[in-house]
Amino acid sequence: MPRTRAQFVLYDGFDPLDVIGPYEVLTAGSDLLHGTLEIELVTAEGPRTVTSGTPGIALTATGSLTPDRSGYVFLPGASGPAHDDTIPKLLAAFAGSAAAPLLQQCLDNPAMTVATNCGGSLALAMTGLIKGRSATTHVLGQESLAATGVNAVRARIVDDGDLVSAGGVTSGIDLGLYLLEREFGPRVARAIEDYFEHERRGTPWRDTGTELPIGA
């Protein structure tokens, strides 16, 4: 079976649980599939230790974000005090960083799927790269996401083809399981779900099926 690459993009102030949740799920899936998944922590600038927005937690990126390969790119949200503007500032700083043009290349690459968790979709939306696309984010960011021109959907997982997004921070586990199912089938996802003693909730949203009346 060909190897699939998953790149987790770190930046200053990232939310560690946004990363660790899906990272561990995909790692367990890779173990089950005898190393089919190649998983790496990366930054736009290259290898470095990256301080998260949660005090005392940092992760070390071992590579650079490479948008010209196939696979998945994961973009986490940021963490910080909920009562001030720390998180919006961190997301805006990322959107204005060297990562933005690389993420544009990721979205332009037909062999690449960009996956976001929590505020990751907001960071991406602030670059203007997903205007007109469908995505979700943390409940507190839904209005801000819609204000960027994104079709903000109140769902735990939103599948818009090469853009898959998840809601609040714990949704990252569901995101990892959903992508395992999408890539390798329900048997693999179910096995890892049991292993983590986790029960997914909600219905993944896709822009398909019967149209409902406005307000339904």
Side-chain angles (χ1 to χ4, degrees):
M1 185 180 292
R3 291 171 65 84
T4 300
R5 192 177 191 209
Q7 302 177 75
F8 284 79
V9 183
L10 305 181
Y11 57 91
D12 295 323
F14 73 92
D15 190 316
L17 188 55
D18 281 0
V19 176
I20 295 301
Y23 188 100
E24 285 206 29
V25 167
L26 293 189
T27 298
S30 184
D31 290 343
L32 185 65
L33 295 164
H34 307 291
T36 296
L37 283 163
E38 177 187 342
I39 307 164
E40 187 176 20
L41 300 177
V42 302
T43 74
E45 303 81 19
R48 67 183 178 97
T49 298
V50 188
T51 302
S52 78
T54 301
I57 297 179
L59 294 176
T60 299
T62 57
S64 301
L65 173 59
T66 52
D68 58 348
R69 299 182 65 178
S70 62
Y72 294 89
V73 167
F74 287 79
L75 182 58
S79 65
H83 57 272
D84 62 21
D85 60 355
T86 297
I87 292 176
K89 284 183 176 179
L90 289 169
L91 297 176
F94 175 80
S97 72
L102 294 174
L103 288 168
Q104 173 71 75
Q105 294 176 52
C106 290
L107 289 165
D108 289 342
N109 180 355
M112 185 79 77
T113 295
V114 175
T116 69
N117 193 40
C118 201
S121 59
L122 268 174
L124 200 56
M126 289 176 182
T127 67
L129 298 177
I130 58 171
K131 186 175 182 179
R133 302 291 300 269
S134 296
T136 190
T137 190
H138 190 283
V139 61
L140 296 179
Q142 289 284 330
E143 290 186 6
S144 297
L145 186 63
T148 67
V150 173
N151 175 32
V153 180
R154 188 73 182 99
R156 194 159 173 85
I157 301 290
V158 171
D159 185 338
D160 195 34
D162 63 353
L163 174 65
V164 181
S165 55
V169 61
T170 61
S171 301
I173 296 174
D174 287 32
L175 176 63
L177 289 166
Y178 178 75
L179 292 176
L180 281 180
E181 181 174 358
R182 198 175 90 153
E183 183 78 17
F184 303 107
R187 292 183 181 87
V188 172
R190 179 62 185 173
I192 302 305
E193 188 173 344
D194 284 345
Y195 178 70
F196 276 75
E197 293 194 0
H198 175 77
E199 185 175 350
R200 287 181 282 176
R201 61 183 176 87
T203 301
W205 185 93
R206 303 179 192 84
D207 190 14
T208 60
T210 303
E211 292 282 350
L212 296 176
I214 295 176

